[in-house]
């Protein structure tokens, strides 16, 4: 475990915790953005340049902005009065830790998971593009169709709203 | 001789790095590149501010700054002193931490974006495989800084300005990236260095720059319009809109934080112009073969200054768009043209070189432009507008 990994991991986990515990929703969204950036940094540290930059472009450039807009458009920016923690947080934590422990134990003892880390092969953007356009063309097109449908649906919802006025 | 002059700065850096012990050399090399980028582009920012004010003054029939130094050329020094000395006022209700972080989140990514722009032969800070993607990825972070500034100020005008800015930046990011896609398709690489290399050489009397092809010309124009909108400059300066929302998202900033916003905006403009030069204007290549003895970095910065002059000229001549015009233009005109342009680049790739290819691709560019323009203007009464106040 290198120093860079420790730094990125610490930052990612700390900002994720902050995103859950902060009182002001906009602060939570900004903390979540730091988590996204930390994940992007992880991909870059693993030499996955394309995935890392795509993560930053999509999550920081689009998803974070979307979250922030949603917060501002749906409710007041004043922090809530009631506590952010549910009253049963202790029980919830215990259940979460137990579930995590069971899953981790099962995965570690499973024979299906290779325990030796395979040698890293740095994939260039060209290789990713070739694979996407040949072997994975169907999933790519399906995702494209899904996104187009979502886009048209959003436009239709917005248009109906305008006509009823 | 020309070779020595061309590689002067590269050699200088190699000399400096070789003075360090071997284990420190990668770090030293990186630090020297970073220092060079910050110094050169911050200096260019200082020169551009005074040139812009002088140029706008000329366009508007006035002198512009002419008090500090000969012809007002030392004005940036006075401005710098003023912004450093001024009091830094933070509103009482502002969100202090976010308010403080916003200018930093703006300035750091725009300098990062400059790292992948090749400013000369062998002169690029990072030659990475996904260079263009890196550029757009770090550029995305600036939108967040605009939101942070607008929201944390607790000012209605700031928030309005931030909302306008983000809506505009998201809308124009689509044609910006799509017009870059055609170049990436033709070169077959996301690396900025490969893209510049692909534009070396000359055919007939024209250099092999992408701008001298039908799809490249259309792409370049789309890219520059989107770049103007991305850097919030006139005629797309609604987020600032002095007459409506005072100054938009940086209304509540004073002193050096305001200067940082100003710096970030200009460095962003240089970065996106640098990318336009890399993608369409042949990077650091000379326009004619017999001019190749002039050092490569001179060509790059010459082209950069020419593009900046274009930005200043546009700012001095065009009025500001309305919000609905802005959105209609982005989604109904720029986006379809950019998509058709990507297809045009494909046609260009698969046709044999010659006159027929030029004709077909030019038709594919001009036809949709005329048709779409006619369709969007259909049903609108357009006539000369008469102004009576200047009689």
């Amino acid at each position: 475990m290198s120093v860079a990994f420790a730094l990125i991991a610490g930052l990612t986990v700390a900002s994720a915790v902050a995103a859950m515990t902060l009182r002001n929703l906009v602060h939570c969204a900004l903390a979540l953005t730091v988590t996204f950036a930390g994940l992007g940094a992880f991909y870059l540290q693993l030499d996955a340049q394309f995935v890392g930059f795509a993560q930053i472009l999509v999550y920081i450039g689009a998803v974070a902005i979307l979250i922030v807009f949603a917060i501002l458009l749906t409710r007041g920016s004043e922090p809530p009065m009631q506590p952010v923690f549910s009253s049963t947080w202790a029980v919830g934590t215990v259940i979460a830790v137990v579930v995590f422990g069971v899953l981790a134990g099962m995965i570690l003892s499973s024979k299906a998971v290779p325990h030796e880390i395979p040698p890293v092969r740095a994939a260039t953007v060209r290789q990713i593009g070739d694979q996407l356009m040949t072997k994975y063309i169907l999933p790519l097109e399906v995702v494209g169709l899904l996104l187009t449908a979502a886009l048209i649906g959003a436009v239709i919802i917005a248009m109906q709203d305008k006509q009823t006025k | 001789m020309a070779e020595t002059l061309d590689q002067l700065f590269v050699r200088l850096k190699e000399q400096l790095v070789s003075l360090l012990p071997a284990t420190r050399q990668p770090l030293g090399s990186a630090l020297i590149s970073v220092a060079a980028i910050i110094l050169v582009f911050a200096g260019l920012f200082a020169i551009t501010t005074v040139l812009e004010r002088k140029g706008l003054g000329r366009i508007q029939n006035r002198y512009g700054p002419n008090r500090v130094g000969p012809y007002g050329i030392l004005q940036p020094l006075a401005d710098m002193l003023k912004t450093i000395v001024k009091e830094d006022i933070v509103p009482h209700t502002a969100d202090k931490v976010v308010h403080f972080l916003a200018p930093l989140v703006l300035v750091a990514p725009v300098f990062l974006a400059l790292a992948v722009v090749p400013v000369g032969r062998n002169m690029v800070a990072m030659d990475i495989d996904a260079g263009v993607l890196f550029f757009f990825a770090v550029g995305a972070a600036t939108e967040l800084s605009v939101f942070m500034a607008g929201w944390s100020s607790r000012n209605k005008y700031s928030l309005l300005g931030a909302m306008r800015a983000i809506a505009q930046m998201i809308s124009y990011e689509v044609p910006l990236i799509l017009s870059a896609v055609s170049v990436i398709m033709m070169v077959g690489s996301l690396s900025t260095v490969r893209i510049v290399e692909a534009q070396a050489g000359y055919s007939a009397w024209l250099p092999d720059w992408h701008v001298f092809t039908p799809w490249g010309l259309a792409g370049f124009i789309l890219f520059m319009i989107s770049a103007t909108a991305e850097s919030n400059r006139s005629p797309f300066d609604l987020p600032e809109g002095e007459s409506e929302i005072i100054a938009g998202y940086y209304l509540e900033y004073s002193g050096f934080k305001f200067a940082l916003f100003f710096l970030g905006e200009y460095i962003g403009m240089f970065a996106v112009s640098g990318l336009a030069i890399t993608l369409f204007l042949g990077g650091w290549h000379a326009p004619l073969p017999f001019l190749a003895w002039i050092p490569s970095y001179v060509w790059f910065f010459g082209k950069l200054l020419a593009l900046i002059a274009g930005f200043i000229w546009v700012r001095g001549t065009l009025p500001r768009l309305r919000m609905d015009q802005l959105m209609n233009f982005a989604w109904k005109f720029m986006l379809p043209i950019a998509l058709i342009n990507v297809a045009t680049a494909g046609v260009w790739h698969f046709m044999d070189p010659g006159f027929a290819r030029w004709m077909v691709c030019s038709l594919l560019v001009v036809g949709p432009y005329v048709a779409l323009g006619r369709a969007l203007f259909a049903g609108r009464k357009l006539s000369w507008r008469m102004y009576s106040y200047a009689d």
Side-chain angles (χ1 to χ4, degrees), chain B residues 106-141:
Chain B
L106 176 69
V107 170
V110 291
F111 272 113
L112 268 180
L114 284 170
V116 290
V117 177
V119 295
R121 191 177 279 121
N122 303 329
M123 286 166 77
V124 58
M126 292 195 303
D127 176 16
I128 51 178
D129 189 34
V132 180
L133 192 69
F134 171 85
F135 187 95
F136 290 124
V138 294

Side-chain angles (χ1 to χ4, degrees), chain A residues 24 26-27 30 33 49-54 56-57 60-62 64-65 68-69 72-73 77-79 123-126, chain B residues 95 98 128-130 133-134 136-138 140-141 143-144 147-148 151 154 159 163 166-167 170 173 177 187-190:
Chain A
N24 194 323
V26 176
H27 286 167
L30 292 177
T33 314
Q49 277 188 2
F50 183 79
V51 186
F53 294 143
I56 294 173
L57 184 65
I60 297 183
I65 296 290
V68 155
F69 260 73
L72 284 188
L73 291 178
S77 53
E78 294 304 313
T124 61
V125 179
R126 175 176 285 279
Chain B
D95 199 307
V98 182
I128 51 178
D129 189 34
L133 192 69
F134 171 85
F136 290 124
V138 294
E143 287 164 25
L144 206 69
F147 168 78
M148 286 164 75
W151 176 78
R154 290 292 164 98
L159 196 55
M163 289 304 206
I166 292 170
I170 287 180
E173 204 167 4
I177 294 180
V187 178
S189 172
L190 277 166

Side-chain angles (χ1 to χ4, degrees), chain A:
Chain A
M1 195 168 75
S2 64
V3 182
F5 175 81
L7 278 175
I8 299 170
L11 189 72
T12 310
V13 172
S15 58
V17 170
M20 288 185 295
T21 50
L22 284 176
R23 193 161 271 276
N24 194 323
L25 265 182
V26 176
H27 286 167
C28 295
L30 292 177
L32 192 64
T33 314
V34 179
T35 315
F36 292 152
L39 278 179
F42 265 128
Y43 295 140
L44 291 182
Q45 205 210 353
L46 293 172
D47 270 342
Q49 277 188 2
F50 183 79
V51 186
F53 294 143
Q55 159 89 13
I56 294 173
L57 184 65
V58 172
Y59 278 86
I60 297 183
V63 173
I65 296 290
L66 198 70
I67 294 173
V68 155
F69 260 73
I71 292 172
L72 284 188
L73 291 178
T74 49
R75 61 171 86 195
S77 53
E78 294 304 313
M81 282 300 116
Q82 71 269 28
V84 274
F85 285 115
S86 157
S87 54
T88 55
W89 66 273
V91 184
T93 313
V94 170
I95 293 175
V97 167
V98 169
V99 169
F100 178 79
V102 169
L103 282 179
M106 295 303 283
I107 291 171
L108 282 179
S109 64
S110 161
K111 288 199 171 60
V113 183
H115 287 275
E116 280 87 49
I117 300 166
V120 178
R121 287 179 302 156
T124 61
V125 179
R126 175 176 285 279
Q127 286 165 339
I128 295 173
D130 281 341
Q131 290 291 310
L132 275 180
M133 280 294 141
T134 52
K135 198 175 169 190
Y136 299 102
I137 185 80
L138 188 68
L140 184 77
E141 292 294 324
V142 169
V143 168
L145 192 69
L146 183 75
L147 290 176
T148 313
L151 194 70
I152 294 171
V155 169
I156 286 173
I157 292 172
M159 272 170 72
Q160 275 178 346
D161 199 39
K162 208 172 171 184
Q163 280 165 355
T164 49
K165 254 177 202 173

